[in-house]
Amino acid sequence: PYRRRGIMSEAAAAVIDAAFERTPLDRILWECVLGNKASLGVARKLGFRFTGQALGMVPTRIGATVPSWTAELRQDDSRELKPGWPI
């Protein structure tokens, strides 16, 4: 009942803002399992720039790497939607 209500986007935006304000980070990397359209939608909405498809950097519970979509958000990036995301 909590899906598609913007809760994850709002929470992730707060974490991103805090990370940029409270740490020396200048970019945040994002990835999700290839085909996870819900996660892709959140990253897109938050202003991440799609960087492609690669084996994920975060291993699964059994230690495997899986094909993933990747993106990044730089501290000085606008938070507007950016072109180039998979449909």
Side-chain angles (χ1 to χ4, degrees), residues 11-12 14 19 23-24 33-34 38-40 48 51 55 61-63 71 73 86-87:
T23 72
V33 173
L34 186 70
S39 290
L40 179 139
F48 279 79
T51 55
L55 284 179
R61 287 177 224 163
I62 61 170
L73 180 66
I87 297 174

Side-chain angles (χ1 to χ4, degrees), residues 39-75:
S39 290
L40 179 139
V42 171
R44 182 177 174 270
K45 183 177 179 179
L46 292 171
F48 279 79
R49 180 177 52 83
F50 184 72
T51 55
Q53 181 178 325
L55 284 179
M57 293 184 287
V58 179
T60 66
R61 287 177 224 163
I62 61 170
T65 54
V66 295
S68 299
W69 283 321
T70 62
E72 76 173 3
L73 180 66
R74 295 191 177 275
Q75 186 174 19

Side-chain angles (χ1 to χ4, degrees), residues 13-34:
V15 171
I16 289 166
D17 290 343
F20 283 145
E21 290 170 10
R22 300 176 186 186
T23 72
L25 291 175
D26 65 344
R27 71 182 176 141
I28 295 174
L29 302 177
W30 167 89
E31 72 176 50
C32 79
V33 173
L34 186 70

Side-chain angles (χ1 to χ4, degrees), residues 1-7:
Y2 302 105
R3 289 181 184 258
R4 305 205 45 87
R5 295 177 59 191
I7 296 169

